[in-house]
Amino acid sequence: MVNGMEGYIVSLIIFTAILAVFGLGLNLQWGFTGLINFGHVAFMTLGAYTTALLSSIDIPWLPLPLQILGAVILGATLAAALGLLIGFSTLRLREDYLAIVTIGVSEIVRLIALNEEWLTRGSFGIQRYPLPLGQFSPNLPTRLGMIAILLLVIGIAYCRLWQWMGQQLQPISRSQLVTSLVPIVGYLVSLAVLIVGIGLGARSLKAAANLPSWVLGLGLLSAIVGTSLLYAWLAKRFLLPLAARTTALSLVWVSILSLLGGWLTTIAAIALYHYDRSPTKNGLMWIAVLLVALIYQALQALVRSPWGRILKAIREDEFVARALGKNVFWYKLQAFMLGGFIAGIAGALYAWQLTVVYPDNFQPLLTFNAWTIVVLGGAGNNLGTILGAAIFWAYQSVTRFILSDIIPLDDARLGAFRVMMIGLLLMVLMVWRPQGILGNKEELTLGR
Amino acid sequence: MVDNPSPQPMDHPSTEHPSTDRPAQRSKSDRTFDANLPPLLSAQDLCKSFGGVRAVDHASLEVPQGSIIGLIGPNGAGKTTLFNLLSNFTRPDSGDVMFNGTPIHPLPSHQIAQLGLVRTFQVARVLSRLSVLDNMLLATQNQTGEALLNVWTRSRQIAKEERLQRRHALEILDSVGLSHMAHQYAGSLSGGQRKLLEMARALMVNPKLILLDEPAAGVNPTLINQICTHIQQWNREGMTFLIIEHNMDVIMSLCDRVWVMAEGRNLATGTPTEIQTNPAVLAAYLGQ
Ligand SMILES: Nc1ncnc2c1ncn2[C@@H]1O[C@H](COP(=O)(O)OP(=O)(O)OP(=O)(O)O)[C@@H](O)[C@H]1O
Ligand SMILES: [Mg+2]
């Protein structure tokens, strides 16, 4: 049981990291530069296939880890080259052209992967390519070192998150905060009790009362809506200012996430300690987390630099950038290519997580997921993107277990239903907090 | 019509109405330009049609080094379009533009700005979701941190440059009365403040020539005064200006020479006083 749980958490972390890297690439393109890329998955496909293919070639004189590293870099570079190709042809035109061309290119890339069997083995998929740290069997000090590095990275992330939270809290008075916290915590607790209670009891209820499952689903839905309305009414009664309520809500969320994150980190550390239980997954998790941290750091340096300022200027008004002597086309191209490069790295991670790559793994839905994550976290906010990826995967895994018990749909339809729910949640988010979780509300209300 | 002695649009403040709001008269000794030097900017026979409309029709223009030149004309005369042609934001149908000895009409607009010809926009364009200070810093030329790889490899140098530029930007902001807004989003500025920011930002480029498109539109009279004083001061420091303006006080007090356009064509050119009494100009303003 513990092992199963551990394995599940490890792959959860890996998936979150992959999506985070993937989303960071899109965030650079769209969040910072304003480039609309509806074919982000194409870069990932290229990264994944190149990594898998190149690392399985037999090169006797090259040590395997170096070969894998080279394959990843080449894969990401190829993805960037695809960005160059797309960007060169469309970035001079109006922005909608880029959007349309990226959709087309991503489908073309997937179809090539499906049909050029001499290269990609088509729908058979590529199998048995080497994984990083796959044959690695670290001794105790090495494992402890790995754990220490992991903890360090996560510790820094925590500091950042709480620094941000501290900034948000400053303008709000303590008493307002406390009075806002009470109903919110109450609300979340009741929601959790409702969902978990009904989720757990669903089977026995169904069996006992011989109820069709849609009755349960409807019951749960109305219960959720009912409590939401009740608490919204309560908050109104107390006449709490909106800012206080929103900040209190963020505080609750950040706290919950921190607790969850702490728990996940503990399990990750334990998994690393028992490295040999599942060497490939544990090693991959370690690499993925470090890569997220590294890419995040590199991107933060970029977006805070004069280079990043030019990207933001282009997002706001490219005429101004031009009038001030900036080569808009060249900077757009750089941002687009770098975003592609990062998505290519995400592709390599994805290939390692899958261990077999099929063209079907690279559905346009992945692009949609990246957009969800960036919008969720707040466009133009790298930390928000990582948070968005975590929330996205939390949603995916929670709903996978609970929904199947209360919604009378088969697995395929359930998957579609979950996507639909995300769309609904995004709409609610757009109404209630259009700037995303970590985004800045003030920025949105500014006119041109 | 032509012999009407005092047409309304040209109603420049005559001695009977001494107004406190009026910009200070420019003393002739301030002039830093020499009419014998080759012009800093010269445009020959520029043409641009939009569909059937001949927005600019064989227009020419010369801006001597170190001068302040005015460009006036009724609404729709093609002044803004001419600015777009000069800065190559719009490609001319024909004609050529020489700037500082180089033909610039074949160059993309960002290269023209890099050569030292910066334009502002009639409807101020600010980068709303960047701070006022960032708007200013963006304008700095040749920053080390503008190259992708330098960001990671030469961060120390970049930080040093940023500190210097920041101080410079704050000085300029101070001179247009925006330093208290430096850390606000530019999107929160008022219309007049945006015009000021645009001008300050153009200055931050440290160009040779600034094209100002109606810098005084929507700015309060006291501030107009202040801006005029600053333009004169920057001009003394060696900056050349080409100014589109409907406010005749500004034109009269600032400009060494005025070019008049009507219906896309050159109508007249001369000193402000000559223009004021030119019958063709008066006729154009009155619309015959
Ligand atoms: N992009 C465009 N497309 C079509 N017509 C245009 C375009 N830009 C300008 N025009 C036309 O060109 C003519 C000159 O316009 P322009 O903006 O240059 O006038 P202006 O002299 O700046 O006037 P104002 O003093 O009102 O600013 C106008 O008739 C206008 O309708
Ligand atoms: Mg105009």
Side-chain angles (χ1 to χ4, degrees):
Chain A
M1 182 62 207
V2 171
N3 266 344
M5 171 81 129
E6 196 178 286
Y8 181 73
I9 297 288
V10 166
S11 62
L12 189 82
I13 293 175
I14 296 172
F15 264 121
T16 305
I18 294 171
L19 272 182
V21 174
F22 193 48
L24 283 173
L26 183 66
N27 195 29
L28 182 70
Q29 295 171 336
W30 181 65
F32 286 101
T33 325
L35 302 173
I36 300 175
N37 174 5
F38 285 148
H40 202 42
V41 69
F43 299 118
M44 184 182 233
T45 315
L46 222 56
Y49 268 95
T50 312
T51 307
L53 285 171
L54 287 186
S55 58
S56 49
I57 299 174
D58 195 25
I59 308 179
W61 49 268
L62 195 65
L64 190 61
L66 277 187
Q67 187 185 351
I68 293 181
L69 185 69
V72 176
I73 292 175
L74 247 157
T77 309
L78 269 182
L82 180 69
L84 179 72
L85 207 70
I86 300 175
F88 207 82
S89 51
T90 52
L91 282 178
R92 283 178 216 272
L93 306 174
R94 246 185 19 226
E95 56 203 11
D96 12 355
Y97 286 85
L98 179 66
I100 293 162
V101 169
T102 46
I103 298 178
V105 168
S106 76
E107 275 305 277
I108 290 172
V109 167
R110 195 172 61 89
L111 289 178
I112 289 176
L114 191 62
N115 293 308
E116 297 303 309
E117 296 185 355
W118 58 274
L119 181 67
T120 64
R121 298 183 42 77
S123 51
F124 293 110
I126 301 175
Q127 308 177 10
R128 280 196 292 281
Y129 43 86
L131 301 172
L133 303 186
Q135 264 82 57
F136 188 51
S137 177
N139 55 15
L140 186 63
T142 317
R143 278 180 309 198
L144 289 181
M146 288 170 90
I147 293 174
I149 293 175
L150 182 81
L151 292 182
L152 185 73
V153 164
I154 292 188
I156 293 173
Y158 265 46
C159 285
R160 290 276 154 76
L161 190 62
W162 281 99
Q163 259 170 18
W164 175 85
M165 197 63 239
Q167 280 166 16
Q168 304 296 303
L169 286 180
Q170 259 163 24
I172 312 268
S173 84
R174 285 302 100 105
S175 60
Q176 270 181 355
L177 194 67
V178 173
T179 32
S180 311
L181 274 176
V182 173
I184 288 168
V185 173
Y187 175 55
L188 290 178
V189 169
S190 352
L191 266 194
V193 167
L194 261 176
I195 294 174
V196 172
I198 296 193
L200 288 181
R203 252 189 219 113
S204 40
L205 261 175
K206 261 191 277 185
N210 202 9
L211 283 172
S213 44
W214 61 266
V215 174
L216 282 174
L218 218 61
L220 178 62
L221 200 66
S222 42
I224 290 176
V225 172
T227 27
S228 303
L229 288 179
L230 174 70
Y231 278 99
W233 177 77
L234 275 177
K236 242 196 198 137
R237 272 299 301 270
F238 291 130
L239 285 177
L240 297 171
L242 188 65
R245 264 186 281 161
T246 322
T247 312
L249 194 57
S250 330
L251 183 64
V252 171
W253 275 120
V254 170
S255 311
I256 292 175
L257 278 172
S258 301
L259 283 177
L260 258 174
W263 177 63
L264 291 179
T265 311
T266 317
I267 292 186
I270 294 172
L272 277 180
Y273 187 79
H274 302 295
Y275 194 89
D276 288 334
R277 276 191 202 157
S278 170
T280 51
K281 291 293 171 206
N282 292 341
L284 182 55
M285 172 187 73
W286 192 71
I287 291 176
V289 171
L290 289 198
L291 264 180
V292 171
L294 196 75
I295 291 172
Y296 171 79
Q297 264 327 28
L299 280 176
Q300 280 301 94
L302 275 181
V303 300
R304 289 186 183 147
S305 73
W307 187 83
R309 192 160 54 215
I310 295 175
L311 297 195
K312 291 179 216 162
I314 292 172
R315 175 190 70 193
E316 296 301 302
D317 188 340
E318 62 176 85
F319 279 86
V320 172
R322 259 167 74 191
L324 297 175
K326 313 300 174 200
N327 189 344
V328 169
F329 174 69
W330 171 228
Y331 282 100
K332 278 184 177 177
L333 200 58
Q334 287 182 56
F336 198 63
M337 287 171 67
L338 185 60
F341 187 90
I342 294 171
I345 296 178
L349 289 174
Y350 193 41
W352 293 332
Q353 164 66 15
L354 292 172
T355 66
V356 189
V357 286
Y358 299 108
D360 267 2
N361 295 133
F362 303 94
Q363 295 289 348
L365 184 63
L366 274 176
T367 304
F368 170 78
N369 292 351
W371 276 89
T372 309
I373 284 168
V374 173
V375 171
L376 202 66
N381 188 318
N382 287 327
L383 193 59
T385 302
I386 296 175
L387 205 63
I391 293 172
F392 186 79
W393 264 101
Y395 168 82
Q396 294 272 323
S397 9
V398 168
T399 49
R400 188 167 304 160
F401 293 125
I402 292 179
L403 280 187
S404 58
D405 281 336
I406 50 175
I407 310 278
L409 293 173
D410 55 67
D411 271 358
R413 286 187 189 159
L414 210 60
F417 182 80
R418 294 214 314 262
V419 177
M420 200 180 87
M421 284 290 287
I422 293 180
L424 206 65
L425 285 177
L426 276 180
M427 281 197 265
V428 173
L429 187 77
M430 285 304 102
V431 171
W432 170 68
R433 197 173 166 84
Q435 74 275 30
I437 294 169
L438 291 195
N440 190 335
K441 179 74 174 241
E442 213 184 318
E443 285 192 348
L444 275 190
T445 52
L446 296 169
R448 276 249 164 208
Chain B
M1 275 303 160
V2 172
D3 44 23
N4 187 332
S6 63
Q8 248 71 66
M10 290 295 286
D11 175 34
H12 104 88
S14 47
T15 36
E16 310 99 77
H17 302 104
S19 146
T20 45
D21 293 343
R22 195 181 335 140
Q25 273 294 318
R26 179 178 161 80
S27 79
K28 302 300 169 199
S29 59
D30 284 350
R31 297 189 180 182
T32 51
F33 80 97
D34 176 357
N36 298 320
L37 283 174
L40 179 61
L41 176 81
S42 74
Q44 297 293 325
D45 271 336
L46 284 174
C47 293
K48 181 72 199 180
S49 307
F50 295 107
V53 183
R54 296 193 146 189
V56 173
D57 188 5
H58 296 283
S60 300
L61 185 83
E62 269 187 14
V63 180
Q65 180 89 48
S67 60
I68 301 179
I69 303 296
L71 178 58
I72 63 172
N75 290 121
K79 306 179 295 295
T80 301
T81 310
L82 183 63
F83 265 24
N84 286 339
L85 298 182
L86 293 176
S87 55
N88 213 351
F89 268 69
T90 310
R91 209 163 278 281
D93 295 337
S94 65
D96 44 34
V97 186
M98 294 286 284
F99 176 67
N100 210 12
T102 25
I104 55 169
H105 52 278
L107 300 180
S109 43
H110 69 268
Q111 277 179 22
I112 294 176
Q114 286 167 4
L115 285 176
L117 193 164
V118 173
R119 55 90 49 93
T120 63
F121 297 92
Q122 179 168 1
V123 178
R125 287 171 173 254
V126 296
L127 309 167
S128 305
R129 289 187 289 168
L130 263 61
S131 72
V132 170
L133 189 61
D134 271 341
N135 268 263
M136 294 291 285
L137 291 174
L138 178 76
T140 317
Q141 298 297 300
N142 299 320
Q143 303 172 69
T144 310
E146 285 182 358
L148 180 61
L149 290 179
N150 284 349
V151 174
W152 296 316
T153 54
R154 301 174 62 183
S155 52
R156 182 96 39 97
Q157 165 98 7
I158 293 171
K160 204 174 95 192
E161 284 177 18
E162 285 279 290
R163 264 198 307 280
L164 277 176
Q165 292 304 332
R166 194 174 279 256
R167 196 170 328 137
H168 184 46
L170 284 173
E171 275 167 22
I172 298 180
L173 281 179
D174 203 33
S175 70
V176 295
L178 281 179
S179 53
H180 64 290
M181 299 294 283
H183 298 286
Q184 307 294 322
Y185 284 112
S188 64
L189 296 182
S190 75
Q193 286 174 321
R194 287 174 191 220
K195 291 232 77 130
L196 293 175
L197 174 59
E198 247 210 1
M199 203 163 73
R201 202 171 54 189
L203 214 69
M204 191 73 191
V205 177
N206 203 11
K208 298 189 178 67
L209 170 63
I210 298 185
L211 311 183
L212 295 175
D213 199 341
E214 303 195 12
V219 178
N220 80 55
T222 337
L223 207 51
I224 290 182
N225 246 340
Q226 204 181 323
I227 292 173
C228 285
T229 322
H230 280 302
I231 290 180
Q232 284 172 340
Q233 190 206 326
W234 292 324
N235 178 241
R236 272 196 295 276
E237 289 164 9
M239 197 87 67
T240 308
F241 289 90
L242 175 60
I243 303 176
I244 295 178
E245 189 48 72
H246 286 297
N247 181 333
M248 279 304 151
D249 294 355
V250 172
I251 292 288
M252 289 298 151
S253 64
L254 283 183
C255 296
D256 300 306
R257 255 192 115 69
V258 180
W259 292 74
V260 189
M261 281 181 83
E263 291 170 8
R265 281 185 293 271
N266 289 106
L267 191 65
T269 173
T271 62
T273 5
E274 284 165 16
I275 289 302
Q276 236 181 323
T277 50
N278 186 323
V281 175
L282 304 183
Y285 264 90
L286 285 178
Q288 262 105 19

